[in-house]
Amino acid sequence: QVQLAESGGGLVHPGGSLRLSCAASGSFFRIIAMGWYRQAPGEQRELVATVNAGGGTNYADSVKGRSTISRLNAQNMVSLQINSLNPEDTAVYYCNARVYTTTTDWGDFWGQGTQVTVSS
């Protein structure tokens, strides 16, 4: 089983910044991509940012330009820096890892979620 350890959530002032980090461990052959998704109350879970093993990144329009996702491959870790936070960023943030579980199969695994609240 793949386990994802998340850290960095909490209460942040509007205009502030935070960094979310996630480390993957367990049984898998290799990581295809890692990233962060978020879900606000009453909303669908949505992509925030992802980074693949080759370093390619993808950002949601809502965070593009104020976010940076990075991957430390040797440690199976990913971090997401978000600047200029606003109340609309308030959500539960989930780490995602897409991994090869065998030589031919892959699957998605999720962290338990960490709350990010942006409020004065």
Side-chain angles (χ1 to χ4, degrees):
Q1 184 178 6
V2 179
Q3 313 228 263
L4 301 175
E6 303 162 325
S7 63
L11 178 63
V12 187
H13 230 67
S17 301
L18 62 74
R19 177 179 289 268
L20 302 175
S21 297
C22 178
S25 62
S27 181
F28 54 88
F29 281 94
R30 69 179 182 91
I31 293 175
I32 300 168
M34 296 185 71
W36 287 92
Y37 293 69
R38 67 187 181 188
Q39 186 169 21
E43 301 289 333
Q44 303 274 355
R45 187 174 298 186
E46 64 177 0
L47 180 148
V48 182
T50 62
V51 57
N52 64 30
T57 58
N58 186 33
Y59 296 92
D61 288 341
S62 59
V63 302
K64 190 175 297 182
R66 61 188 180 98
S67 297
T68 302
I69 191 165
S70 58
R71 168 87 185 278
L72 185 55
N73 291 337
Q75 298 185 20
N76 296 324
M77 295 181 65
V78 65
S79 65
L80 175 66
Q81 176 82 22
I82 308 178
N83 303 319
S84 302
L85 287 159
N86 58 71
E88 288 71 44
D89 294 314
T90 296
V92 177
Y93 285 68
Y94 297 90
C95 180
N96 167 264
R98 177 167 290 182
V99 307
Y100 274 103
T101 55
T102 70
T103 56
T104 56
D105 298 329
W106 59 268
D108 284 309
F109 296 84
W110 297 89
Q112 65 183 17
T114 183
Q115 177 72 46
V116 172
T117 301
V118 184
S119 179
S120 59

